[in-house]
Amino acid sequence: MFAASADPAALAATTDNSRKKRDRDDNSIVGSDFEPWASKRGEILARYTTTEKLSINLFMGSEKGKAGTAISAMSEKVRTRLEELDDFEEGSQKELLNLTQQDYVNRIEELNQSLKDAWASDQKVKALKIVIQCSKLLSDTSVIQFYPSKFVLITDILDTFGKLVYERIFSMCMDNHSILPDHFSPENVNDTAKETCLNWFFKIASIRELIPRFYVEASILKCNKFLSKTGISECLPRLTCMVRGIGDPLVSVYARAYLCRVGMEVAPHLKESLNKNFFDFLLTFKQIHGDTVQNQLVLQGVELPSYLPLYSPAMDWIFQCISYHAPEALLTEMMERCKKLANNALLLNSVMSAFRAEFIATRSMDFIGMIKECDESGFPKHLLFRSLGLNLALANPPESDRLQILNEAWKVITKLKNPQDYINCAEVWVEYTCKHFTKREVNTVLADIIKHMTPDRAFEDSYPQLQSIIKKVIAHFHDFSVLFSVEKFLPFLDMFQKESVRVEVCKCIMEVFIKHQQEPTKDPVILNALLHICKTMHDSVNALTLEDEKRMLAYLINGFIKMVSFGRDFEQQLSFYVEARSMFCNLEPVLVQLIHSVNRLAMETRKVMKGNHSRKTAAFVRACVAYCFITIPSLVGIFTRLNLYLHSGQVALANQCLSQEHGTLLFRDICRASAHNRQQWGSSADAFFKAAISLVPEVPKMINIDGKMRPSESFLLEFLCNFFSTLLIVPDHPEHGVLFLVRELLNVIQDYTWEDSSDEKIRIYTCVLHLLSAMSQETYLYHVDKVDSNDSLYGGDSKFLAENNKLCETVMAQILEHLKTLAKDEALKRQSSLGLSFFNSILAHGDLRSNRLNQLSVNLWHLAQRHGCADTRTMVKTLEYIKKRSKHPDMGHLTELALRLPLQTRT
């Protein structure tokens, strides 16, 4: 009635928000240090499987149930629902036989969905029937190896049911759009909700069989909060006692585990009930080794070592719940009780799996003594040592006991004949060994692993464990000179025969090296080992390798290359780079890094010699230059090659890889340069610049940038602007005439096919004008030390300036021609923008005392404003700038220019 009177949409939103907040509160009852059941669920389902056939009972819906829901009178409705329950108890179900495990899982999922559908369609009794039916399945141990997984699947349905019932009752507590507070008391709950809640408990109490009655009531344990403050604390002990009536010890222990699960979710503070549950379990533990269980195992053909691990998930969970934030005294008492039980290996394993690692570690020798006394027939000792090792990886034992602990454990581990059992234990104890001992003990352990895993190529079935061992070793040995001095480390790597696994291991090693290697190294042991590892990674690259994988491999190899340094032994450093180039030729980023490294090596040589190369160092830097010149053409990326040609040319220039004699030469002197010098010129800096110029025509219209195709013209413009900045200081060749590199570059730009809608060509020509303007100065803006640029070579020679002016006129003619082609309606805005840009270039770099330039600038000003496309604010600021400059000395001619530059009116 309350629900009907409320706005359904608002009610649903309020309920949903409340549910989310309550879920957050429920999750925060226990801390983040408590491992939730959800994290164990997947592991259980993956571990406990079967190939045997399974059976399941499905509920068959009756017409009686459908008709009953239409009866309006409350008494008739109640009677009908009771009849439905009776009908179910009398056997309205169908048994499905010979199901595979996957079929069984699918049927359970169907039942879960049926439960939700029945609830959504207000068939609450049908939903209860489904839950009862599923709970009954937990009494069936006919396929005993599958029981832990069955428990996980069925309890998922029980959890769903418990949540639906709780949300249903909670929604009935709403009154006038108000909801219960987060921490409500029974006094806040209205009578209707309480009556409904009681009705659910009464229905469940009428279930005849113990196991379904226990599980269904436990699933709605939280609903006791609606009835009384002490409801949960009263219910838990009663449910604990109910479990005593379950005869099968496996079914019983999982029932206790479910009760602990629910108890930790709704009342983790009620530890007394959980402790009682645990001690009840200890009292009945001897049933596991009783005749009934033994007979059942014989019938199913299951050995005891296969049967006992079935208890582990439930027992581990019970122990985890009991030991969570438990005082030391309680843990000690629980441990002592376990000691007194015979055949307690299973219990001991759960204690070590669930108790705090610090508690276990401080009592390591006690646990080793208990492990020795265990009967190995049911639960192997190596599993106990594995559990102990897991704890010692998290917490440190007393220092005085550490060596004895390792000796006692390894005595057992090394005697294992089964390779899988052996490696599962060794994997755990390797971390303990690395953590507390030196390379000598680690080497002994690795040697023992190789000895056990090499026969019959057993290592092929244990790659995950072997990978884990490598990761643990390199996690504790960050000094790679120590790591590679472990004699058996590299032979251990040889066990990774499968290429994909071997590459992953190599990647792990290189990641640790890059992360932890602080100083550059030249240690031959490290270099040889890591070169071999990097070579392994490089050789795995093929046509099918993904680009992301190539980038990762290149990053790791480059990280290694950067950390190699031979100090002042530059020739040895270059020899290393030569060797690396031959080994890593299939990864372009690595070749790029090598070129940068060699260029840096040449510059370091220059720094050491303070720019004054001797015959020996001059030959060395030429060798570096040759290395780069030979390597760059093998790269694929067009802009990568262009930029490296430019960069390497700059390095060659800085190292005086030029043929002309130092000092000032006139234009006529260059023409008389010796043949010997001209021969040397061919291997100098301009070889890089010529190569870059010849590469420009190959630039495609579109290039791939991060997986997307983009126009290349903007990238080409950026490169050429950088190139022009370098060409300013490059001296002319004695045989090729004035400004030969600039001329060659202009020819290439002229012949390049530009987009019709693009103005990049004109922007490049504008940059050329800036370059030519700088080249006409008596002294250039910047120089390279000990390299004479054209300002020194020509000394302001009139022939050189005349050649420069001719080039300027040619370029300006090209710009003006392009501006004429833009005199169309659709291009007027581009014409205005380019015209103003050209005007600014003339203003900044031209001599406006020249009448021709002065008149050209006035024409460009008018052109920019002719069709009303100019930005008025920009024009105003430009004119203000001209007037401001005109007040400077020697700038009076700008006053007259400013008077000839009118501003366009708004109209």
Side-chain angles (χ1 to χ4, degrees):
M1 290 169 62
F2 286 127
S5 63
D7 177 23
L11 192 64
T14 307
T15 305
D16 188 51
N17 291 335
S18 174
R19 180 185 299 118
K20 290 178 181 177
K21 189 169 183 180
R22 284 201 313 280
D23 288 346
R24 287 196 299 269
D25 291 343
D26 290 344
N27 292 335
S28 62
I29 289 175
V30 291
S32 58
D33 56 337
F34 183 83
E35 186 180 4
W37 174 258
S39 66
K40 299 176 181 289
R41 183 181 180 279
E43 181 186 348
I44 295 172
L45 289 174
R47 180 179 174 187
Y48 298 97
T49 59
T50 184
T51 56
E52 295 186 35
K53 298 299 182 181
L54 302 159
S55 62
I56 189 172
N57 292 322
L58 285 179
F59 166 69
M60 305 299 293
S62 64
E63 292 301 319
K64 189 190 298 183
K66 294 178 184 177
T69 57
I71 301 176
S72 58
M74 185 58 69
S75 59
E76 289 296 323
K77 189 172 183 179
V78 170
R79 186 184 303 115
T80 301
R81 289 187 172 178
L82 289 174
E83 288 175 359
E84 287 176 1
L85 280 175
D86 289 339
D87 180 48
F88 174 72
E89 293 290 334
E90 290 166 8
S92 58
Q93 49 194 313
K94 176 183 178 182
E95 185 174 18
L96 298 179
L97 304 173
N98 297 323
L99 298 176
T100 65
Q101 178 180 314
Q102 188 57 50
D103 291 337
Y104 189 91
V105 172
N106 293 340
R107 294 294 182 182
I108 294 295
E109 289 175 353
E110 288 174 12
L111 284 172
N112 201 355
Q113 188 57 47
S114 298
L115 167 65
K116 295 175 183 177
D117 294 342
W119 192 272
S121 60
D122 203 30
Q123 298 183 54
K124 304 295 189 296
V125 172
K126 181 179 178 181
L128 178 59
K129 289 180 181 182
I130 293 172
V131 176
I132 294 171
Q133 170 194 340
C134 291
S135 302
K136 281 188 174 185
L137 297 175
L138 291 174
S139 61
D140 175 23
T141 57
S142 56
V143 182
I144 204 162
Q145 300 97 323
F146 187 64
Y147 191 85
S149 292
K150 182 197 290 188
F151 171 80
V152 169
L153 296 169
I154 300 300
T155 51
D156 283 349
I157 296 177
L158 288 165
D159 293 341
T160 301
F161 177 72
K163 188 173 182 180
L164 290 172
V165 173
Y166 185 86
E167 296 296 342
R168 162 72 174 162
I169 299 170
F170 191 88
S171 66
M172 298 177 71
C173 298
M174 295 186 182
D175 188 13
N176 297 327
H177 303 283
S178 64
I179 61 173
L180 287 178
D182 295 331
H183 303 287
F184 65 88
S185 63
E187 290 77 17
N188 303 122
V189 181
N190 59 47
D191 292 341
T192 305
K194 285 183 178 179
E195 185 179 346
T196 303
C197 186
L198 278 171
N199 187 33
W200 276 109
F201 280 110
F202 291 153
K203 284 177 184 175
I204 292 167
S206 68
I207 299 173
R208 295 170 187 163
E209 294 184 32
L210 172 62
I211 290 176
R213 185 167 72 250
F214 164 80
Y215 273 106
V216 179
E217 183 174 354
S219 70
I220 67 165
L221 179 66
K222 190 177 180 181
C223 294
N224 280 283
K225 291 170 63 177
F226 296 108
L227 300 177
S228 70
K229 292 180 179 179
T230 60
I232 293 176
S233 59
E234 292 170 357
C235 242
L236 273 174
R238 180 171 55 79
L239 290 171
T240 300
C241 292
M242 284 174 67
V243 180
R244 296 176 182 174
I246 301 175
D248 190 309
L250 184 65
V251 178
S252 172
V253 75
Y254 276 94
R256 295 185 189 281
Y258 186 69
L259 189 58
C260 284
R261 247 187 74 192
V262 176
M264 286 299 288
E265 288 174 5
V266 302
H269 56 283
L270 297 176
K271 279 296 186 71
E272 289 185 9
S273 297
L274 298 179
N275 294 347
K276 182 181 178 183
N277 191 16
F278 168 72
F279 292 126
D280 266 10
F281 166 70
L282 290 184
L283 291 173
T284 58
F285 180 73
K286 60 185 179 182
Q287 289 181 330
I288 294 176
H289 301 279
D291 293 339
T292 306
V293 171
Q294 298 300 322
N295 294 336
Q296 184 182 18
L297 296 182
V298 171
L299 287 175
Q300 294 200 33
V302 177
E303 299 290 335
L304 191 62
S306 301
Y307 172 69
L308 289 181
L310 300 177
Y311 286 82
S312 293
M315 289 175 59
D316 290 351
W317 179 258
I318 293 171
F319 277 76
Q320 179 183 328
C321 295
I322 302 303
S323 62
Y324 183 65
H325 289 178
E328 196 87 354
L330 177 61
L331 298 180
T332 304
E333 180 189 353
M334 293 165 68
M335 181 177 161
E336 291 300 323
R337 290 208 183 191
C338 291
K339 271 186 184 179
K340 295 175 183 178
L341 292 171
N343 300 318
N344 63 349
L346 181 62
L347 275 175
L348 193 58
N349 188 65
S350 291
V351 167
M352 290 189 290
S353 298
F355 281 20
R356 291 193 298 273
E358 295 78 10
F359 179 87
I360 304 296
T362 54
R363 297 165 176 78
S364 298
M365 292 308 300
D366 292 340
F367 277 97
I368 286 177
M370 293 169 66
I371 292 172
K372 284 181 176 180
E373 295 172 4
C374 285
D375 179 8
E376 198 168 5
S377 60
F379 201 91
K381 286 184 181 180
H382 68 84
L383 294 181
L384 298 176
F385 274 107
R386 185 178 189 279
S387 297
L388 178 61
L390 289 170
N391 282 282
L392 297 181
L394 299 173
N396 299 329
E399 190 169 354
S400 58
D401 296 339
R402 290 175 184 174
L403 183 57
Q404 187 179 354
I405 290 170
L406 179 60
N407 288 336
E408 293 291 345
W410 210 260
K411 281 180 190 175
V412 175
I413 296 170
T414 196
K415 291 177 182 177
L416 294 173
K417 302 299 182 185
N418 185 308
Q420 203 61 40
D421 291 342
Y422 171 84
I423 197 63
N424 286 336
C425 276
E427 173 201 356
V428 172
W429 281 90
V430 161
E431 184 165 6
Y432 173 79
T433 310
C434 294
K435 196 173 180 181
H436 299 296
F437 299 98
T438 65
K439 67 176 186 179
R440 185 171 68 88
E441 288 80 7
V442 173
N443 190 60
T444 303
V445 169
L446 293 182
D448 195 58
I449 295 173
I450 295 171
K451 177 183 173 183
H452 278 78
M453 302 306 294
T454 304
D456 300 324
R457 299 178 69 85
F459 55 78
E460 292 183 342
D461 299 321
S462 305
Y463 283 138
Q465 293 90 332
L466 295 175
Q467 279 182 271
S468 175
I469 290 171
I470 285 288
K471 289 178 181 178
K472 289 171 181 176
V473 171
I474 61 179
H476 289 88
F477 285 86
H478 296 158
D479 186 342
F480 275 69
S481 60
V482 175
L483 178 65
F484 290 126
S485 66
V486 176
E487 183 183 352
K488 294 298 180 180
F489 182 76
L490 292 178
F492 189 93
L493 290 182
D494 291 338
M495 286 197 293
F496 294 97
Q497 299 288 314
K498 188 177 179 181
E499 184 184 57
S500 59
V501 180
R502 185 168 67 250
V503 171
E504 285 302 315
V505 170
C506 291
K507 285 163 65 176
C508 289
I509 295 172
M510 293 310 302
E511 285 170 0
V512 173
F513 176 81
I514 291 170
K515 182 178 181 181
H516 295 288
Q517 185 71 20
Q518 301 296 325
E519 299 293 333
T521 182
K522 60 178 180 179
D523 187 325
V525 175
I526 295 178
L527 297 188
N528 289 332
L530 292 185
L531 274 174
H532 172 71
I533 289 171
C534 290
K535 177 67 172 168
T536 300
M537 295 193 300
H538 169 270
D539 291 348
S540 69
V541 175
N542 55 44
L544 300 179
T545 305
L546 298 175
E547 288 301 318
D548 285 347
E549 177 70 7
K550 289 181 182 178
R551 273 194 290 270
M552 172 56 71
L553 295 177
Y555 164 76
L556 295 173
I557 296 173
N558 285 343
F560 163 60
I561 291 171
K562 291 175 186 177
M563 293 307 296
V564 176
S565 174
F566 291 89
R568 288 292 185 89
D569 191 350
F570 292 159
E571 291 186 1
Q572 184 65 32
Q573 189 81 33
L574 183 59
S575 297
F576 170 77
Y577 292 144
V578 171
E579 183 182 3
R581 181 179 61 184
S582 65
M583 295 178 72
F584 309 128
C585 57
N586 290 331
L587 287 173
E588 183 161 315
V590 177
L591 295 179
V592 172
Q593 177 60 45
L594 288 170
I595 293 169
H596 284 307
S597 297
V598 171
N599 279 327
R600 185 168 58 250
L601 186 61
M603 294 306 291
E604 286 176 6
T605 307
R606 178 182 183 273
K607 183 179 179 182
V608 169
M609 300 301 294
K610 297 181 180 179
N612 299 310
H613 283 299
S614 65
R615 183 181 296 275
K616 182 178 181 181
T617 59
F620 176 76
V621 294
R622 284 188 179 278
C624 292
V625 168
Y627 178 103
C628 297
F629 193 75
I630 292 169
T631 309
I632 292 173
S634 63
L635 304 177
V636 175
I638 186 81
F639 281 101
T640 302
R641 280 183 281 162
L642 284 171
N643 287 309
L644 285 174
Y645 274 132
L646 177 58
H647 183 215
S648 301
Q650 291 167 345
V651 170
L653 195 62
N655 281 282
Q656 307 146 45
C657 291
L658 299 168
S659 59
Q660 77 270 22
E661 299 175 5
H662 298 305
T664 303
L665 297 177
L666 298 178
F667 182 69
R668 63 179 180 273
D669 298 323
I670 292 179
C671 297
R672 293 200 298 267
S674 69
H676 173 69
N677 284 343
R678 289 198 296 271
Q679 185 178 359
Q680 285 187 326
W681 189 280
S683 60
S684 60
D686 72 317
F688 287 101
F689 301 139
K690 284 182 177 179
I693 293 171
S694 65
L695 197 58
V696 169
E698 297 179 22
V699 175
K701 296 292 179 291
M702 305 291 288
I703 57 172
N704 190 317
I705 304 292
D706 296 331
K708 296 180 180 179
M709 299 304 293
R710 295 184 180 178
S712 64
E713 289 188 358
S714 60
F715 297 96
L716 183 57
L717 172 63
E718 181 183 1
F719 166 74
L720 289 174
C721 288
N722 291 334
F723 197 3
F724 295 147
S725 300
T726 302
L727 288 180
L728 174 64
I729 53 175
V730 178
D732 278 342
H733 191 285
E735 290 185 352
H736 294 150
V738 180
L739 303 177
F740 75 101
L741 286 176
V742 178
R743 292 176 186 277
E744 285 188 22
L745 186 55
L746 283 173
N747 291 334
V748 167
I749 294 170
Q750 178 65 29
D751 295 338
Y752 188 80
T753 306
W754 301 89
E755 294 290 336
D756 294 337
S757 60
S758 169
D759 298 318
E760 300 296 351
K761 180 179 179 181
I762 303 308
R763 292 190 174 93
I764 291 172
Y765 278 147
T766 305
C767 291
V768 172
L769 287 178
H770 301 168
L771 169 63
L772 294 174
S773 173
M775 283 182 164
S776 67
Q777 307 302 311
E778 290 184 8
T779 303
Y780 288 173
L781 298 171
Y782 46 87
H783 295 86
V784 174
D785 189 32
K786 296 182 174 56
V787 174
D788 292 329
S789 298
N790 285 340
D791 58 341
S792 299
L793 295 178
Y794 296 114
D797 186 85
S798 58
K799 290 183 179 180
F800 172 75
L801 294 177
E803 290 291 332
N804 188 300
N805 289 335
K806 285 182 182 179
L807 276 180
C808 283
E809 291 176 1
T810 302
V811 172
M812 290 172 68
Q814 291 286 340
I815 295 174
L816 293 173
E817 186 66 28
H818 183 78
L819 287 173
K820 289 179 183 178
T821 64
L822 298 178
K824 302 174 185 176
D825 292 344
E826 66 275 8
L828 292 177
K829 194 167 185 178
R830 286 168 55 199
Q831 185 189 55
S832 174
S833 176
L834 284 177
L836 184 59
S837 175
F838 190 19
F839 172 85
N840 287 329
S841 293
I842 293 174
L843 183 64
H845 300 280
D847 184 0
L848 289 172
R849 287 171 294 191
S850 164
N851 291 332
R852 289 178 62 192
L853 270 185
N854 198 296
Q855 184 58 46
L856 176 60
S857 62
V858 172
N859 293 342
L860 289 171
W861 180 269
H862 287 288
L863 178 67
Q865 298 185 97
R866 180 174 299 167
H867 301 286
C869 298
D871 181 4
T872 305
R873 290 181 62 188
T874 303
M875 303 295 284
V876 170
K877 288 184 177 180
T878 304
L879 189 56
E880 289 175 354
Y881 169 74
I882 294 171
K883 291 177 180 178
K884 187 176 180 180
R885 278 194 64 189
S886 68
K887 296 177 183 179
H888 293 178
D890 301 325
M891 291 291 175
H893 59 281
L894 293 181
T895 304
E896 182 185 349
L897 176 64
L899 295 174
R900 299 175 64 192
L901 303 178
L903 286 174
Q904 189 179 39
T905 63
R906 293 281 183 181
T907 56

